[in-house]
Each structure stands twice: as structure tokens, then as C-alpha cells.
Amino acid sequence: EAVLAVAEGTPTGKIVGRVIAPDGSPVENAELRAYKGNPLLSVNFAGTQPMLPSKAFSLADGTFELLGIPIGKDYVLVGTHEDFARTELPNLHVKRDGPDGEVELRLESGATISGTVVSAAGGGPIPEARVELYDTILTVQTKVEDRKPWKVVFTDPLGAFAFDHIST
């Protein structure tokens, strides 16, 4: 009588690659995460599926290995670093015997959101006002009591504020 072997858990693979700046130089200490994209959408948005628990950080030469990724298609690699905008690389395939080739994630400089906080009565600037920026998709996925701002800044003496490195 034949004995069948049953694999426990889902087979996993990895995503390996390099993180670079817009000028092509390596980026150290970028955080790399992945999520399973939605193949029914023409564009994958972070938030269409939850992030996987695995994460990695790029080394001084920009290289990384993101381990424990379930085998499959349509993964999106997400890179974050305080000096750059959140950057995504879609349509990655993870196979049992390794990645579908090394990936290169070129971080983006991003955009700046700026403004001035003024008083409703008189229109004068409000210095030291707290201004919060939320990630809309993450906010939708999070319970109200667990929601936190993505970035927080305070206005200068003229009421001005700016958020740098924002994903477009």
C-alpha cells in the first residue's frame, strides 16, 4: 500500500533584490514588505490585500532577502525609507525554487504637501499647530481606536507646514 506524504503549511519562497535611490545609488535600511495583489484589478493598491508578516531591511549595498513568501503570483513589493516616498513594485512571482529573478526597487523622491494653518476668526497664522497626515487605505483597514497618523508635523511661527516624501 502506497503512503502519501502531505506537506504541512504553504510552500514558501523569497523575494531577493536591491534597493536604489533615484540616482541609482544603493539605499541602506529601507524596509521591504510584500502583499498579495489582486489580479482582478488593473492596478494593485496597497490595501487591496493585507501585508504579509515577513519584512526585511536593505543592507549597505542595497541588497535584501524577503523570506517566507507563500508561492504565488501577483505580489507587490513595498519599500519605505524616511528619506524617500513609499514605493511599490507590482507583478512579482514567487516560486518554490527561488525568485523569478532578482528585483530592483528604485525608490522615489515623492511629492511635498504644504500649507498654512490660519485662524477662522481673522485669518491670522497659528504657530505650533499640530497637522496630521493619514494613509487613506491603511485608515480604512484599521479599527477606529487603532488609527494613527502616518506623519505629524507642527506649524512654524507663520503657520506654515510641509510633509515631504509623499507617494504620488
Side-chain angles (χ1 to χ4, degrees), residues 147-163:
R147 292 180 184 165
K148 293 181 174 55
W150 182 59
K151 287 188 177 186
V152 175
V153 295
F154 292 87
T155 58
D156 68 12
L158 300 176
F161 69 91
F163 293 100

Side-chain angles (χ1 to χ4, degrees), residues 8-148:
E8 290 188 24
T10 303
T12 60
K14 60 186 174 179
I15 299 172
V16 297
R18 188 167 171 250
V19 181
I20 60 173
D23 67 2
S25 62
V27 175
E28 182 178 14
N29 209 31
E31 181 178 317
L32 291 305
R33 305 280 307 256
Y35 68 90
K36 184 83 168 126
N38 186 336
L40 299 177
L41 297 176
S42 59
V43 177
N44 284 306
F45 296 100
T48 57
Q49 300 287 335
M51 286 278 182
L52 299 175
S54 308
K55 71 178 172 181
F57 292 90
S58 58
L59 302 176
D61 63 357
T63 60
F64 69 90
E65 277 193 343
L66 189 57
L67 304 173
I69 307 298
I71 292 171
K73 296 182 178 184
D74 301 311
Y75 281 99
V76 180
L77 179 66
V78 178
T80 56
H81 189 281
E82 64 184 23
D83 295 334
F84 301 95
R86 173 188 167 119
T87 305
E88 299 181 6
L89 182 62
N91 303 319
L92 298 177
H93 301 245
V94 176
K95 298 188 289 186
R96 176 172 299 186
D97 57 351
D100 217 14
E102 189 170 303
V103 300
E104 184 173 86
L105 181 65
R106 182 180 296 268
L107 296 179
E108 300 172 2
S109 298
T112 298
I113 298 174
S114 61
T116 305
V117 178
V118 296
S119 169
I126 301 177
E128 297 302 316
R130 178 183 169 108
V131 183
E132 300 177 348
L133 182 65
Y134 287 82
D135 182 319
T136 305
I137 294 174
L138 291 179
T139 299
V140 169
Q141 291 183 333
T142 311
K143 294 181 199 172
V144 173
E145 62 271 15
D146 294 333
R147 292 180 184 165
K148 293 181 174 55

